[in-house]
Amino acid sequence: MLTARAAVLLDAGGDPQLTDVQLREPVGDEVLVRIDAVGICHTDISVAARFRKLPMVFGHEGAGTVVAAGPRAARRVGEQVVLTFASCGVCSNCAAGRPAYCDHATDLNMRGGRRDESSALRLDGAPITAGFFGQSSFATHAIARSRSAVAVPESIDPAVAAPLGCSVQTGVGAVLNVLTPEPGDPFVVFGAGAVGLSAVMAARIAGCRTIVAVDPIEQRRTLATELGATATIDPTTSDVVAEVVELTGGAGAAVDTTARPDVIAAAVGALRTRGSLALVGLGALTAELPVALIMGKGLAVRGVVEGDSEPQTFIPRLAALHRRGELPLDKVVTTYPFDDFDRAWAAAKAGEVVKPVLVTGA
Ligand SMILES: NC(=O)c1ccc[n+]([C@@H]2O[C@H](COP(=O)([O-])OP(=O)(O)OC[C@H]3O[C@@H](n4cnc5c(N)ncnc54)[C@H](O)[C@@H]3O)[C@@H](O)[C@H]2O)c1
Ligand SMILES: [Zn+2]
Ligand SMILES: [Zn+2]
């Protein structure tokens, strides 16, 4: 048993608290990872708000160093890794190279491991729920299976590598893996948080000449412009659909990260003939969509989980894009010492920072 420091959610509806937990040894193909940096994703906040199988450790954008490996682990001690979502590896979607749509994705990622001896984490000696997105990395150490641990070059700063595991691969993958816009396709993103800004950077990589970012927060619109947006729209003062159509003649490709039914309906209305909208936000269970318009214009509305990524190949590709200066994530990340978890969590909840990343060595 190893003692680690973790942010543990103890009370329903509360905020995680830093406390000591115990981790067992890695078994099978698991690795024990010393977490060097971990990002806070909006999904941590929204799932924590309604999670009931407590105590629980969230965190699913861990980056760190392998310090122990199970007998069948694919990663070696000393390797730098990015932790990413879990998948079973054997269902038909995993076999087809689509692990984000694993038949067991919800159980493996959203629910955490069972609260029995199979849990890797204990609090005061008793097993607790863990394994959020195959990791539970709001901690100084985490256990993950090899499929969720992706080797990355040592040269990448862990604070920048951490969000590659979820929000960056989601935003970039929605554009480069799913929408695949042509340079002439005007691109629009609704919501310029970490996912939306990643989509903006990807649209620039794809060569899109017109890139529009919509967000009510001025600082995020400014950041979007720095990262490649050619125009921005404040939805609180503009008729967004009319403005998108005026700027672009209708979007060829669009991403919704807001998960707001009204925004999703508006996003469909802002598409040009045969345009596509990717839905990545978590929150809206239903939305009223203009079906006649979707049919008549041949529009596509497509859900996207984790950017449709196959992480073992896509995350190294993202790291290479960063190295070439094409994913300037340093502009998006704000680091906090791990001990300042409370401050980072509050800032993330309030939307004051785009991508808070906790750094353990600080
Ligand atoms: N599908 C996936 O695999 C996946 C992966 C990661 C995150 N997510 C989800 O994606 C969403 C985005 O994540 P994030 O971390 O970027 O969150 P975020 O909260 O930082 O970003 C959402 C943005 O939408 C903006 N917004 C609010 N109202 C708006 C409006 N009317 N018009 C335009 N913009 C508006 C907010 O100001 C904010 O900047 C979350 O719901 C998250 O849970 C999904
Ligand atoms: Zn599977
Ligand atoms: Zn996430």
Side-chain angles (χ1 to χ4, degrees), residues 190 241 256 258-268 284 286-288:
F190 296 84
V241 175
D256 176 73
T258 70
R260 289 180 47 145
D262 57 330
V263 175
I264 292 168
V268 173
T286 58
E288 210 165 291

Side-chain angles (χ1 to χ4, degrees), residues 61-102:
E61 289 188 340
T65 310
V66 176
V67 292
R72 295 195 306 281
R75 307 273 84 82
R76 295 185 320 275
V77 170
E79 261 186 318
Q80 188 173 350
V81 292
V82 164
L83 299 182
T84 191
F85 65 91
S87 57
C88 78
V90 294
C91 73
S92 59
N93 288 308
C94 283
R98 300 287 181 205
Y101 306 100
C102 172

Side-chain angles (χ1 to χ4, degrees), residues 53-306:
K53 271 192 346 180
L54 303 174
M56 172 65 167
V57 177
F58 292 94
H60 65 283
E61 289 188 340
T65 310
V66 176
V67 292
R72 295 195 306 281
R75 307 273 84 82
R76 295 185 320 275
V77 170
E79 261 186 318
Q80 188 173 350
V81 292
V82 164
L83 299 182
T84 191
F85 65 91
S87 57
C88 78
V90 294
C91 73
S92 59
N93 288 308
C94 283
R98 300 287 181 205
Y101 306 100
C102 172
D103 290 353
H104 308 284
T106 306
D107 277 343
L108 290 173
N109 290 293
M110 293 296 201
R111 303 215 168 117
R114 276 169 302 136
R115 202 174 162 168
D116 62 15
E117 295 303 321
S118 70
S119 174
L121 272 188
R122 284 168 181 260
L123 179 67
D124 298 329
I128 63 169
T129 326
F132 189 57
F133 280 75
Q135 50 190 288
S136 285
S137 49
F138 285 158
T140 56
H141 294 79
I143 282 189
R145 295 192 58 189
S146 291
R147 285 180 65 77
S148 292
V150 182
V152 289
E154 267 172 38
S155 54
I156 190 167
D157 177 356
V160 162
L164 300 183
C166 183
S167 40
V168 177
Q169 81 175 341
T170 296
V172 175
V175 177
L176 297 187
N177 295 336
V178 178
L179 295 168
T180 61
E182 299 290 331
D185 291 337
F187 175 81
V188 182
V189 68
F190 296 84
V195 176
L197 291 170
S198 297
V200 166
M201 291 184 267
R204 186 168 71 173
I205 292 166
C208 291
R209 286 187 288 270
T210 307
I211 301 173
V212 183
V214 185
D215 201 292
I217 304 176
E218 187 186 0
Q219 177 218 355
R220 296 186 177 204
R221 295 196 302 274
T222 305
L223 197 47
T225 305
E226 276 180 45
L227 295 171
T230 54
T232 63
I233 300 172
D234 177 356
T236 61
T237 57
S238 305
D239 176 342
V240 175
V241 175
E243 206 162 321
V244 169
V245 170
E246 193 183 314
L247 284 164
T248 65
V255 176
D256 176 73
T257 74
T258 70
R260 289 180 47 145
D262 57 330
V263 175
I264 292 168
V268 173
L271 294 175
R272 62 170 55 181
T273 299
R274 304 195 64 246
S276 302
L277 169 67
L279 303 180
V280 307
L282 191 77
L285 294 181
T286 58
E288 210 165 291
L289 298 183
V291 174
L293 187 75
I294 292 173
M295 190 274 287
K297 284 182 138 183
L299 307 179
V301 179
R302 159 80 142 81
V304 184
V305 175
E306 298 289 343

